[in-house]
Amino acid sequence: MFAYLIRRLFYAIPILIGVNVLTFALFFVVNSPDDMARMQLGAKRVSQEAIEKWKAERGYDKPLFWNENAKGLGKVTETIFFSKSVKMFVFDFGRADDGRDIAREIKNRMGPSLAIAVPVFVLGLFAAITTALLLVYFRATPLDFLGVAALVTMMSISSLFYIIGGQWLVAKVWRWAPISGYVEGISAAKFIILPVIISVLAGLGASARWYRTIFLEEITRDYVRTARAKGLPERLVLFRHVLRNALIPILTGAVVIIPSLFLGSLLIEAFFGIPGLGSYTIEAINAQDFAVVRAMVFIGSVLYIIGLILTDISYTLADPRIRLS
Amino acid sequence: MKPVLLVSDALFFMLLAALAFGAAYVRRTPHLAAGWRAVGKSSAAMASLTLLTMFLVIAVLDSLHYRERLPGPQAHYAPEVRSALDALLAPLRLRQEKTYSAPLALHSFAKETSPDGHARDFPRLRHGGSHLGDDLDRHMPDVLARGVRGAALGLILWGCLWGALALLARRAPNLAWPAVRTTLLVVALCGGVIYELAQGYHVFGTDKVGQDVLYLTLKSIRTALLIGTLTTLIMLPAAVVLGLAAGYFGGWIDDLIQYLYTTLNSIPGVLLIAAAVLMMQVAIEAHPQWFATAAERADARMVMLCAILGLTSWTGLCRLLRGEALKLRELDFVAAARALGLPATSILLRHILPNVMHIVMIAIVMDFSALVLAEAVLSYVGIGVDPHTISFGTMINAARLELAREPVVWWSLAAAFVFMLTLVLAANLLADAVREAFDPRREQPA
């Protein structure tokens, strides 16, 4: 197990190098730093000095790969590639346009983001599995049909409408929760509850339907017939046998959600004014803060790879037959 | 008048040609044809297909672009690029109010100081209900009368349409035609009523700058369809070629392609899109000489957005195709083809590709609805289409802040909601039917 984990971490290295090279190409090769400066400084007729100053402030005034003017090792390190891309591996992202250290900002914003994402993930999984099991219990009845129709309709509604509608109805009309904002500590709950419920609802349609198909596939298996034959009530068959055996596809599906969790929280955080990574990204996009967006791409893929490894570990917990080696 | 072919138009028509070609291919291929016949027997799928065809007609009309000739002896053309749909909807487009007005309203939504400077009141709209003159009591009876007239018109229209389709229905009697008939009836009735009402009123109200919301909604359809289909068109070749090559050749080719898509896949889609779109904005800004008109620039941005969305979405299909090619490679007919000395490219083309077509088809219809939804979200975040391109995302974005008003401006959101829901729901139902018909794993119903 331990050896497996070490090997998985080594596999992650070439992928992160790939991500790094890709973002480097995207940000520094497709466009020159001069273009970026001109875009951000706005005016078409911006002076060359202003551009040079902008580049010097951000360290974009160095050559891309090879610095002829530096001495010794500096030929490699005094370049954009080294200072902007290689340093990402030690989570040194440099400074944002407002002068703050990006790494520290990310660390501070991790908390609020997790405060939203973890409950959404857990509650969402719970709600979806419960709904799916209920529909499977009532399969081939009008209730099942209505349920599936409702789920398909729910997944056809843009998440924007869930957020806008929910915020308007719950926070503005009924005044049950604050419209937006965030505080640290335990009183964060009242700010978190509405965004969490909305995220869970927005994701319910697609995931519950997906789990329903998994369960339906599972109940055609022989062990289910055996369980029924020995007189187990359907309720127990579903909860004791089908649910446990469906855990592997459920876990695989859960990983697929992780990136969309990020997208979801991006919108949710922006709408509800939660100072997490999602709203940080949106602010950076709107302010065209290239350094922050680059850092978020890297962090995002690190998180994704961690998620993948966690899933592999959870496989062994769900199914003892699986040995990681 | 000078016809204009925008890049997205060209790609869109290419796509239609590909669709026609694909349909012909399906007719010639027995197992695919059988699958589509199964789709045709599903009421939900046929109703969805009818609706999607309506949307497609609107999008095609909106893709025939031209520039108007300006009056004068020389051949000067207006800078704005218009479409056939714009020409058809000219009354809607030109009857602009000052600001918000509710659906079917006679008065503006915001109070204004009257010209004599005394009272602040809701001014009458310039166009909405202007045919009534000062006879405001006639408002409701007029709306009702127009509604009835519209319904009658819709019925006639439905009769004609269904009359034509019934001939087709007789040739393929076991498809779910009743669903088509009902859907057409509903669409014709709604269309008729809206058409009659739109002659005198703003059926869905007007937005902040007084534009008719109905016009905006109809224009959004093209953007949504284009993003949903062009993305697939752009990513499909890469996904198919790389996926099949990885599965069939194995070895270092497989390793390389797997590495490529694992790397791309490990970046959360929205972040990759954000980074790419930001850089595209910089490139567009840095090279204003690339585009002759603003419409061309907005259009290029949309096509690039499709390419970027394709970049993030081809990995799923690629992985599926690789797995399938791995399986097919070991089968006897492929081994026989290899033993006969057929080159790898023709084995892939003649023996492997036809056997994965159903996966490709499922992927196309499944992606569509997700892409339409993604467009709205991305436009909200500010990394979607050009802010001047009319789309559901930009509509929602403009309307969202107005919910804070009292009373609420709800009609823009409601119109976008209804049209988006119809489009995405239809796409989802069709996707379900297609998957049910073609997915070999789900042959036996549970």
Side-chain angles (χ1 to χ4, degrees):
Chain A
M1 177 89 170
F2 187 70
Y4 172 81
L5 280 185
I6 297 288
R7 214 171 59 230
R8 277 301 297 260
L9 285 176
F10 271 110
Y11 281 151
I13 292 174
I15 293 179
L16 285 179
I17 292 178
V19 171
N20 211 322
V21 169
L22 186 81
T23 45
F24 178 80
L26 204 59
F27 277 85
F28 295 106
V29 181
V30 175
N31 295 292
S32 69
D34 284 47
D35 291 337
M36 287 200 273
R38 232 171 260 130
M39 174 87 177
Q40 219 189 22
L41 296 172
K44 284 249 157 65
R45 301 261 170 270
V46 62
S47 70
Q48 195 58 37
E49 290 97 77
I51 291 179
E52 292 303 330
K53 185 163 161 283
W54 188 91
K55 279 171 30 186
E57 273 169 8
R58 285 161 185 75
Y60 294 162
D61 51 348
K62 299 166 189 156
L64 281 183
F65 295 107
W66 190 252
N67 196 340
E68 279 297 335
N69 302 326
K71 290 187 212 69
L73 216 57
K75 278 193 195 303
V76 182
T77 55
E78 292 289 307
T79 58
I80 292 184
F81 183 72
F82 188 83
S83 64
K84 296 296 166 200
S85 281
V86 179
K87 277 188 177 169
M88 275 200 192
F89 285 109
V90 292
F91 297 102
D92 176 358
F93 301 115
R95 292 182 181 285
D97 283 346
D98 58 6
R100 293 197 211 167
D101 184 51
I102 297 176
R104 174 177 302 167
E105 195 78 357
I106 287 176
K107 216 167 74 194
N108 289 341
R109 285 167 175 267
M110 207 76 122
S113 267
L114 283 178
I116 297 279
V118 171
V120 167
F121 185 70
V122 175
L123 286 179
L125 209 58
F126 177 75
I129 290 177
T130 319
T131 319
L133 275 178
L134 267 179
L135 290 181
V136 171
Y137 186 75
F138 291 108
R139 66 186 169 278
T141 62
L143 197 69
D144 179 34
F145 177 79
L146 281 181
V148 173
L151 290 181
V152 175
T153 315
M154 277 175 79
M155 64 186 266
S156 303
I157 297 174
S158 168
S159 51
L160 285 170
F161 289 114
Y162 284 101
I163 301 176
I164 298 174
Q167 196 177 31
W168 178 74
L169 201 66
V170 178
K172 183 153 178 289
V173 179
W174 295 339
R175 293 172 193 279
W176 286 354
I179 288 187
S180 70
Y182 188 76
V183 288
E184 292 289 329
I186 196 77
S187 41
K190 71 172 179 194
F191 289 103
I192 284 176
I193 190 156
L194 179 59
V196 167
I197 290 174
I198 289 179
S199 305
V200 168
L201 268 183
L204 187 65
S207 49
R209 221 172 63 109
W210 160 246
Y211 294 137
R212 179 179 165 271
T213 24
I214 292 177
F215 291 139
L216 281 181
E217 221 162 89
E218 206 61 36
I219 58 168
T220 56
R221 301 288 172 87
D222 287 342
Y223 71 86
V224 176
R225 199 184 317 155
T226 313
R228 283 191 196 133
K230 73 182 183 192
L232 223 54
E234 184 71 13
R235 197 163 35 87
L236 289 183
V237 173
L238 284 181
F239 277 92
R240 234 184 244 164
H241 293 280
V242 174
L243 182 57
R244 284 203 65 169
N245 278 287
L247 268 181
I248 292 289
I250 287 177
L251 286 171
T252 317
V255 193
V256 181
I257 301 178
I258 291 176
S260 66
L261 212 64
F262 204 94
L263 173 78
S265 64
L266 207 75
L267 287 176
I268 286 277
E269 286 181 12
F271 266 97
F272 288 95
I274 287 153
L277 291 176
S279 51
Y280 192 45
T281 314
I282 290 210
E283 282 160 27
I285 291 170
N286 288 334
Q288 296 176 336
D289 192 327
F290 305 108
V292 175
V293 176
R294 219 154 35 85
M296 291 310 296
V297 169
F298 189 74
I299 285 284
S301 50
V302 169
L303 291 178
Y304 181 81
I305 290 170
I306 292 175
L308 277 184
I309 296 177
L310 286 182
T311 329
D312 276 358
I313 297 174
S314 65
Y315 280 170
T316 58
L317 298 179
D319 187 348
R321 284 171 306 182
I322 294 179
R323 294 246 163 71
L324 301 178
S325 57
Chain B
M1 206 167 84
K2 180 166 92 173
V4 175
L5 189 70
L6 298 173
V7 181
S8 62
D9 297 340
L11 286 171
F12 190 51
F13 291 127
M14 256 170 68
L15 184 95
L16 290 181
L19 214 63
F21 180 77
Y25 176 77
V26 165
R27 276 182 76 100
R28 276 190 289 115
T29 319
H31 71 282
L32 292 182
W36 277 103
R37 265 199 297 281
V39 172
K41 281 181 192 144
S42 146
S43 299
M46 285 302 268
S48 308
L49 266 178
T50 318
L51 279 173
L52 288 174
T53 313
M54 300 281 162
F55 282 118
L56 192 68
V57 168
I58 295 178
V60 169
L61 280 178
D62 205 7
S63 296
L64 301 166
H65 284 103
Y66 67 92
R67 277 163 74 179
E68 205 127 6
R69 191 185 168 140
L70 293 175
Q74 268 131 20
H76 281 305
Y77 295 97
E80 308 94 31
V81 177
R82 300 221 182 286
S83 71
L85 188 73
D86 287 324
L88 283 178
L89 298 179
L92 284 184
R93 182 164 52 84
L94 297 174
R95 283 190 317 211
Q96 198 162 351
E97 306 291 345
K98 269 189 198 149
T99 181
Y100 291 111
S101 67
L104 303 175
L106 299 178
H107 293 94
S108 174
F109 182 70
K111 276 189 180 174
E112 238 177 57
T113 311
S114 57
D116 48 19
H118 290 304
R120 279 177 63 77
D121 203 3
F122 299 106
R124 273 294 294 275
L125 293 177
R126 263 178 271 173
H127 305 287
S130 55
H131 58 284
L132 294 177
D134 288 329
D135 193 5
L136 296 189
D137 292 339
R138 260 182 53 216
H139 184 201
M140 268 304 127
D142 184 57
V143 168
L144 276 179
R146 277 168 191 269
V148 172
R149 235 182 306 152
L153 189 75
L155 272 180
I156 298 170
L157 185 72
W158 172 71
C160 300
L161 271 176
W162 179 245
L165 269 179
L167 295 177
L168 204 70
R170 209 170 301 155
R171 286 187 49 197
N174 46 9
L175 300 189
W177 290 107
V180 177
R181 197 174 51 207
T182 319
T183 317
L184 270 183
L185 178 65
V186 173
V187 171
L189 280 180
C190 291
V193 171
I194 289 177
Y195 174 78
E196 267 301 314
L197 285 172
Q199 306 288 327
Y201 302 95
H202 299 289
V203 184
F204 292 161
T206 55
D207 76 346
K208 186 167 188 171
V209 289
Q211 274 181 302
D212 192 290
V213 174
L214 176 62
Y215 171 72
L216 295 179
T217 334
L218 290 176
K219 290 285 282 182
S220 301
I221 290 171
R222 172 178 186 259
T223 317
L225 278 187
L226 231 53
I227 301 243
T229 51
L230 279 195
T231 304
T232 317
L233 181 79
I234 291 173
M235 68 105 175
L236 208 53
V240 171
V241 169
L242 292 180
L244 292 186
Y248 183 76
F249 294 114
W252 65 270
I253 299 180
D254 190 19
D255 288 342
L256 187 73
I257 293 170
Q258 273 201 68
Y259 171 69
L260 197 68
Y261 72 62
T262 320
T263 304
L264 273 178
N265 213 21
S266 76
I267 306 176
V270 63
L271 288 173
L272 185 57
I273 295 169
V277 170
L278 268 185
M279 286 305 113
M280 173 188 78
Q281 281 174 346
V282 173
I284 287 180
E285 196 77 7
H287 305 278
Q289 72 276 10
W290 288 350
F291 313 105
T293 58
E296 261 175 51
R297 196 175 60 215
D299 188 69
R301 187 171 160 163
M302 185 153 72
V303 174
M304 282 305 293
L305 181 69
C306 290
I308 291 169
L309 280 169
L311 182 74
T312 59
S313 65
W314 65 277
T315 52
L317 179 61
C318 186
R319 181 181 309 165
L320 278 179
L321 289 178
R322 172 182 169 271
E324 201 63 22
L326 265 178
K327 261 189 275 168
L328 289 173
R329 178 176 74 167
E330 305 301 331
L331 293 187
D332 288 345
F333 70 94
V334 179
R338 241 193 323 256
L340 286 171
L342 228 58
T345 42
S346 46
I347 293 181
L348 280 173
L349 269 180
R350 300 259 302 276
H351 297 288
I352 308 249
L353 187 61
N355 283 300
V356 299
M357 273 324 259
H358 63 284
I359 297 183
V360 174
M361 240 154 37
I362 295 174
I364 294 175
V365 285
M366 294 270 287
D367 279 352
F368 177 81
S369 55
L371 288 167
V372 174
L373 291 177
E375 184 276 327
V377 171
L378 292 178
S379 296
Y380 168 75
V381 180
I383 47 179
V385 294
D386 189 271
H388 300 294
T389 306
I390 301 172
S391 80
F392 289 125
T394 48
M395 264 178 82
I396 297 170
N397 202 4
R400 135 194 95 87
L401 289 172
E402 304 304 331
L403 279 182
R405 270 173 176 249
E406 202 68 57
V408 178
V409 176
W410 49 270
W411 43 90
S412 292
L413 277 178
F417 176 80
V418 169
F419 273 75
M420 251 182 108
L421 180 63
T422 316
L423 178 59
V424 177
L425 192 59
N428 273 333
L429 291 176
L430 179 67
D432 274 358
V434 170
R435 200 177 41 186
E436 205 124 312
F438 287 102
D439 198 340
R441 277 189 313 144
R442 309 217 308 172
E443 253 165 40
Q444 71 284 21

